[in-house]
Amino acid sequence: MSVPLHQERRRLSDAEFEHVSRSHHPAVAALDKEALVGLARQLRAYRDKVRDVHRTRRRAQRGGVEARGAAPAVVAEAGDPGTPLKKQIFSAALKRVNRHIARHQAAERKARSVSLLRGALSRRRGAAVHHPDPGQTASAGMQANESDRRTVQTDPREIGRVSQFVKDAQAQRDSRG
């Protein structure tokens, strides 16, 4: 759930609110990547500080540790939304800034890949064209491939002689039988 701007102003100190207000829309879009990284670092430090204070207060309230500071009455009541709300404000601001940092990084990645692709295209266009000989083509119709098998040249008269020999041998066997 988002926190209204008037609650942010009321809960935060002037220095904290100045950093959080820079994370809102018109201001955050105007920042460059280095400024965004610095703002994220500052917001992360504020968030961690508030988180640690909140943990210490809750622990002191449970009786796990003595309350720090001069006034132990600073321990938050169970229904006090002050410190968790402050942590929520800083977390939301950090998310906004991180989202803009991610957009900058995505734009840089895209620009880098486009430049690499343009370089590859220029290298490809500048390369020598290689057109190998296509070999046999279908323009003259289908052509028989020559066989690698050994061909035996047999006299056609020999084929007839062998056939007659087999017929005669069969006839002799039949007459004996």
Side-chain angles (χ1 to χ4, degrees):
M1 183 173 76
S2 63
V3 180
L5 195 61
H6 67 87
Q7 276 193 350
E8 286 181 359
R9 185 168 302 168
R10 196 177 76 177
R11 294 286 178 182
L12 303 176
S13 68
D14 290 336
E16 293 170 342
F17 181 72
E18 191 269 324
H19 288 301
V20 170
S21 65
R22 285 178 35 208
S23 73
H24 285 289
H25 169 59
V28 74
L31 298 175
D32 61 341
K33 186 178 175 189
E34 291 79 23
L36 284 170
V37 170
L39 180 61
R41 189 174 294 123
Q42 188 64 42
L43 289 171
R44 198 172 292 114
Y46 281 140
R47 183 204 57 195
D48 293 346
K49 180 181 173 185
V50 171
R51 181 193 59 205
D52 293 345
V53 167
H54 182 64
R55 277 187 193 158
T56 306
R57 285 182 180 178
R58 284 180 51 203
R59 201 161 165 222
Q61 188 177 5
R62 285 192 314 261
V65 70
E66 290 295 322
R68 288 186 185 175
V74 177
V75 174
E77 295 297 322
D80 179 30
T83 310
L85 183 62
K86 215 171 176 182
K87 187 174 78 169
Q88 181 183 355
I89 292 169
F90 288 128
S91 296
L94 190 59
K95 277 185 185 181
R96 287 190 297 269
V97 171
N98 283 339
R99 208 169 27 241
H100 277 278
I101 291 173
R103 285 181 188 152
H104 278 280
Q105 290 172 342
E108 289 173 359
R109 277 193 308 269
K110 184 176 180 180
R112 185 173 44 243
S113 66
V114 165
S115 69
L116 290 174
L117 288 173
R118 287 188 195 280
L121 182 62
S122 67
R123 285 192 301 275
R124 181 178 176 143
R125 286 181 177 162
V129 180
H130 177 65
H131 293 296
D133 180 34
Q136 292 183 355
T137 62
S139 61
M142 293 183 67
Q143 298 175 2
N145 291 334
E146 291 188 24
S147 174
D148 292 337
R149 288 188 196 167
R150 199 179 109 225
T151 56
V152 177
Q153 298 293 330
T154 306
D155 186 15
R157 292 176 296 177
E158 182 71 19
I159 295 171
R161 185 192 69 77
V162 171
S163 298
Q164 189 61 47
F165 177 78
V166 171
K167 286 181 188 175
D168 291 344
Q170 185 68 39
Q172 284 180 3
R173 277 194 298 268
D174 288 345
S175 66
R176 281 190 224 147

